[in-house]
């Protein structure tokens, strides 16, 4: 690991200098009026990034995992039924959390590399005539496999079944990098963290509640104290926290939302798509395949690349770290040893991405894989060059 090189892990992501400075503040009395000038713009910025008019935004000193717990404990009661799909490590962990909270799970098992099986969601919801299922979970972007699921499609499945269940979406590795439409998709709770698309250090759970989810808070009986959104909401009215806020991180969040919104959300998404397409061109030039089963599932924030049978993909990650000082993502769970991941979200440019592709190539050649030095880099260069001329043409 070298502090000079960018990281290519799918979170924590590279921090722009400006955000590092925004987080680095002298101590500020969080009960002074200055705090509200940080808190409220940060919450308003998050709301815009979620593309919501009516969501209530909560930011806890925590991580994405704490966001899951906030969603579950504030709106559900022991024994409530929850529908979820397991198609990777993160959806697996969310299901595990539900089970530990005594929720009754309907789990659809899917291949690691597949998206959320919408047909099965619709079938299960249609069969649930008494509407016992209270919540449907969806992991928008499975960071372990580089698979993007169709959240609009999950909403269509709920509507086709005329089912009133709430829809909770883990957008930890998609929000602020990939298109996310809380209102349009009828998302009731959207969850993310500070260290991925927002390009900040880990330390904040960022959550949006729809008005329907807010209504569910009143009847839910799962125990919650630290993550009780009622305490948080009451404190926000006075520009306070129910405890000590992470002021520097919140100032970073305020600045991050300003940066993202001034770049323009659609431009941010297009940049991620372009960078990802370059990585995918490199993977194809290497003669390798992604873990994601089909192009509609390809994630624009992380690529999980399958390595040949009998080869331990962890060797690439270890060598990259030890020899070249570059971080890639390891394979997790069912795909441990079988894939390595290139994270390509947050503060990245085409040029930075080329350095990651070049490093992966050196490692694979070092380890005896049949990959030619420069092949992936050249494919990505061609892609970035041609995309650039397209952009120029569009602007002319
Ligand atoms: C990173 C990640 C998480 C976990 O977030 P933490 O901030 O590490 O708690 C959850 N879901 C997805 C999809 C992620 O990528």
């Amino acid at each position: 690991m070298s502090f000079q090189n960018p990281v290519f892990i799918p979170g924590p992501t590279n921090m722009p200098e400006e955000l590092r400075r925004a987080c680095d503040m002298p101590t500020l009395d969080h009960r002074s009026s200055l705090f509200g000038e940080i808190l409220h713009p940060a919450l308003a910025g998050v709301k815009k990034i979620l593309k919501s008019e009516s969501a209530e935004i909560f930011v806890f000193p925590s991580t994405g995992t704490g966001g899951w717990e906030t969603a579950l404990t504030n709106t559900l009661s022991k024994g409530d039924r929850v529908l979820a799909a397991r198609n990777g490590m993160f959806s697996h962990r969310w299901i595990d959390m539900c089970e530990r909270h005594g929720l009754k799970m309907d789990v659809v098992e899917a291949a690691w590399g597949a998206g959320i099986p919408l047909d099965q969601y619709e079938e299960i919801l249609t069969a649930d005539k008494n509407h016992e299922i209270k919540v449907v979970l969806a992991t928008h972007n499975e960071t372990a496999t580089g698979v993007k699921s169709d959240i609009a499609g999950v909403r269509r499945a709920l509507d086709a079944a005329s089912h009133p269940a709430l829809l909770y979406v883990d957008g930890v590795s998609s929000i602020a990098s990939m298109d996310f439409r809380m209102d349009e998709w009828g998302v009731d709770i959207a969850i993310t963290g500070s260290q991925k698309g927002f390009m900040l250090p880990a330390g904040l759970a960022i959550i949006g509640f729809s008005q329907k989810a807010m209504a569910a808070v009143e009847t839910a009986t799962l125990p919650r104290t630290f993550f009780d959104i009622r305490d948080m909401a009451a404190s926000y009215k006075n520009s306070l926290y129910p405890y000590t806020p992470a002021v520097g991180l919140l100032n970073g969040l305020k600045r991050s939302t300003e940066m993202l919104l001034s770049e323009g959300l659609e431009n941010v998404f297009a940049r991620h798509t372009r960078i990802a397409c370059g990585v995918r061109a490199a993977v194809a030039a290497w003669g390798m395949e992604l873990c994601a089963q089909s192009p509609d599932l390809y994630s624009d924030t992380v690529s999980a690349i399958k390595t040949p049978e009998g080869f331990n993909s962890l060797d690439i990650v270890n060598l990259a770290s030890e020899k070249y000082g570059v971080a890639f993502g390891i394979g997790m769970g069912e795909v441990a040893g079988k894939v390595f991941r290139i994270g390509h979200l947050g503060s990245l440019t085409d040029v930075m991405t080329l350095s990651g592709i070049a490093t992966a190539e050196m490692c694979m050649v070092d380890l005896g894989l049949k990959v030619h030095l420069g092949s992936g880099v050249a494919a990505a260069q061609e892609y970035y060059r041609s995309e650039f001329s397209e952009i120029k043409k569009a602007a002319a």
Side-chain angles (χ1 to χ4, degrees), residues 63-65 68 90 139 141 143 170 172-173 195-196:
T63 69
T65 307
W68 290 340
F90 292 95
T139 300
N141 189 70
T143 318
D170 172 344
V172 180
S173 63
Q195 79 276 26
K196 298 190 183 176

Side-chain angles (χ1 to χ4, degrees), residues 110-357:
W112 287 42
I116 294 172
L118 299 179
D119 292 352
Q120 275 167 277
Y121 265 29
E122 186 177 331
E123 241 170 68
I124 292 167
L125 291 165
T126 305
D128 178 32
K129 297 288 175 219
N130 297 330
H131 298 159
E132 283 173 15
I133 295 172
K134 293 285 179 266
V135 164
V136 174
L137 303 186
T139 300
H140 187 199
N141 189 70
E142 239 310 340
T143 318
T145 55
V147 165
K148 169 187 68 180
S149 282
D150 177 6
I151 304 304
V154 176
R155 169 47 60 197
R156 280 196 300 277
L158 275 153
D159 290 348
S162 302
H163 201 293
L166 296 159
L167 171 59
Y168 296 177
V169 179
D170 172 344
V172 180
S173 63
S174 60
I175 289 168
S177 311
M178 281 158 54
D179 196 10
F180 190 91
R181 309 178 187 191
M182 182 160 182
D183 285 2
E184 189 182 317
W185 296 342
V187 174
D188 291 296
I189 300 186
I191 299 153
T192 188
S194 48
Q195 79 276 26
K196 298 190 183 176
F198 288 103
M199 308 170 285
L200 295 165
L204 299 178
I206 301 164
I207 310 123
F209 271 59
S210 73
Q211 292 306 317
K212 198 171 152 195
M214 291 303 292
V217 175
E218 297 315 316
T219 51
T221 60
L222 278 180
R224 69 250 198 212
T225 48
F226 186 83
F227 289 121
D228 197 322
I229 61 158
R230 293 167 300 188
D231 297 340
M232 195 58 98
S235 300
Y236 284 175
K237 290 207 176 89
N238 301 314
S239 301
L240 291 170
Y241 259 56
Y243 31 71
T244 316
V247 179
L249 282 174
L250 284 165
N251 194 51
L253 183 61
K254 168 178 174 269
R255 192 69 205 105
S256 167
T257 60
E258 287 165 359
M259 281 173 71
L260 289 161
L261 293 167
S262 80
E263 182 178 350
L265 282 184
E266 304 313 313
N267 296 330
V268 170
F269 304 149
R271 173 168 55 83
H272 281 83
T273 302
R274 189 182 70 246
I275 286 175
C277 284
V279 172
R280 295 196 281 261
V283 173
W286 294 333
M288 295 169 90
E289 283 181 354
L290 295 179
C291 179
Q293 288 174 342
S294 55
D296 57 309
L297 301 174
Y298 292 167
S299 162
D300 283 346
T301 59
V302 54
S303 295
I305 300 152
K306 290 197 277 190
T307 49
E309 198 83 34
F311 180 89
N312 183 0
S313 63
L314 191 57
D315 292 347
I316 295 175
V317 179
N318 288 339
L319 188 66
S321 168
E322 287 156 20
K323 186 169 174 186
Y324 301 109
V326 169
F328 293 113
I330 61 166
M332 306 171 93
E334 268 187 37
V335 292
K338 296 178 185 164
V339 308
F340 75 101
R341 293 176 300 153
I342 300 182
H344 37 77
L345 76 162
S347 180
L348 269 188
T349 63
D350 299 355
V351 169
M352 288 160 85
T353 309
L354 288 170
S355 72
I357 295 169

